[in-house]
Amino acid sequence: MPMKGRYPIRRTLEYLQKGDIVFKNTVKIMTVNYNTHGELSDGARKFVFFNIPQIQYKNPWVQVMMFKNLTPAPFLKFYLDDGDQVLVDAEGKDHKDISQHVKKILGKSEEVLQAEELARMVHSNPANFGPKKYCLRECMCEVEGQVPCPGLIPLPNEMRGKYKSQMKGTED
Amino acid sequence: MSVKSVSVHAKWIVGKVIGTKMQKTAKVRVTRLVLDQYLLKYYNKRKTYFAHDPLEQCTVGDVVLLKALAERRAKLVTHKLAEIVYKVGNVIDPLTGKQVAGSLFRETLTDSMENPAGSLTEKLQELNISAATSEILQKPSEV
């Protein structure tokens, strides 16, 4: 059974995670003005259709707003943290050109992204045991080949402290 | 007792004004895209904010940029009006700077007023000429 809608690939996690554009920390709001008809807005419409979900997935804290049929020419506007505004003209451009241009001016570069990923890997050590949120495993009983959890399967008598103390008591 | 240093997470916000009935305060609706976990599609989720507008310059329907206040001003008012991005009925295209309505440019009145005035005076001159010629024609006929 195929997925519903046109281009349902847009609605897959793999597609969303493949998004290129990770905005710099100063970008707070992104606004796209485009028209629903007309050839000039075609690139902007495709950009909204294909690339906006990827951008929003990678930048969950950036507010993205779309405005339709306000002005004759399509454009993008970014509002930065210092109060600066960046205006990007999208008239007649292809959606790939728009996304590459945006990535160039306001996206984090490859080196910065890799450095952040390294920092994240260093921070989380897979050898640690702890809550599921921070570590991979909580208890040694989860590892294959180790003693299973006594909550599920009772331990053999040699390992039970109660049995050992009973035997010591009966001996003496 | 405790004074909240930064009132909200969001420092800058863009929204649409939905109410101005409060004195010096605008009620602004902000939409953010939220991913539906099952459909994996983004939908608009609304939230209303109250913004301090000292000059009462907002009308219902404006698109407005708000800035977070350093300290919460009232129980509900957490932001202040930074600028009106698109004024309802008077949208100005940021690329050209001209007034715009939908996908057309609104021509300003000054340009259209000049031409009719010029054409009117020309028309008056034409009328005078035609009146003079008709009189000259009539006189010899009378006589």
Side-chain angles (χ1 to χ4, degrees), chain A residues 24 33 46 63 86-87 109 123 131 147 157 168:
Chain A
K24 295 180 185 164
N33 269 275
K46 289 219 164 80
Q63 182 193 0
V86 180
L87 181 62
S109 60
H123 197 71
V147 172
N157 282 335
K168 265 195 190 166

Side-chain angles (χ1 to χ4, degrees), chain A residues 19-92:
Chain A
D20 276 359
I21 305 178
V22 181
F23 284 131
K24 295 180 185 164
N25 292 331
T26 51
V27 178
K28 298 287 173 190
I29 306 174
M30 172 172 161
T31 303
V32 186
N33 269 275
Y34 64 103
N35 290 333
T36 45
H37 296 82
E39 265 190 41
L40 293 173
S41 284
D42 196 39
R45 256 175 278 141
K46 289 219 164 80
F47 178 75
V48 166
F49 191 71
F50 288 114
N51 293 325
I52 291 271
Q54 289 178 322
I55 294 175
Q56 183 74 92
Y57 189 79
K58 290 283 178 177
N59 305 281
W61 298 111
V62 171
Q63 182 193 0
V64 180
M65 276 198 95
M66 256 73 77
F67 294 105
K68 294 188 202 174
N69 298 322
L70 274 183
T71 68
F75 59 91
L76 277 74
K77 200 153 188 197
F78 298 87
Y79 296 84
L80 306 183
D81 205 9
D82 325 323
D84 300 332
Q85 296 174 13
V86 180
L87 181 62
V88 176
D89 188 14
E91 190 170 342

Side-chain angles (χ1 to χ4, degrees), chain B residues 5 10 19 23 25 28-29 33 36 74 76-77 79 84 91 94 97 103 111 116 126 129 133 136:
Chain B
S5 51
Q23 289 170 355
T25 314
V28 175
R29 174 178 288 158
L33 288 174
D36 183 301
L76 293 168
V77 179
H79 289 72
I84 299 181
V91 176
S103 53
D111 293 330
E126 285 169 19
I129 295 162
T133 50
I136 294 162

Side-chain angles (χ1 to χ4, degrees), chain B residues 59-86:
Chain B
T59 36
V60 176
D62 294 348
V63 173
V64 137
L65 176 69
L66 307 178
K67 186 173 176 180
L69 288 168
E71 268 184 16
R72 189 176 286 215
R73 194 191 155 82
K75 186 169 76 166
L76 293 168
V77 179
T78 48
H79 289 72
K80 71 165 188 268
L81 178 74
E83 71 165 305
I84 299 181
V85 179
Y86 305 118

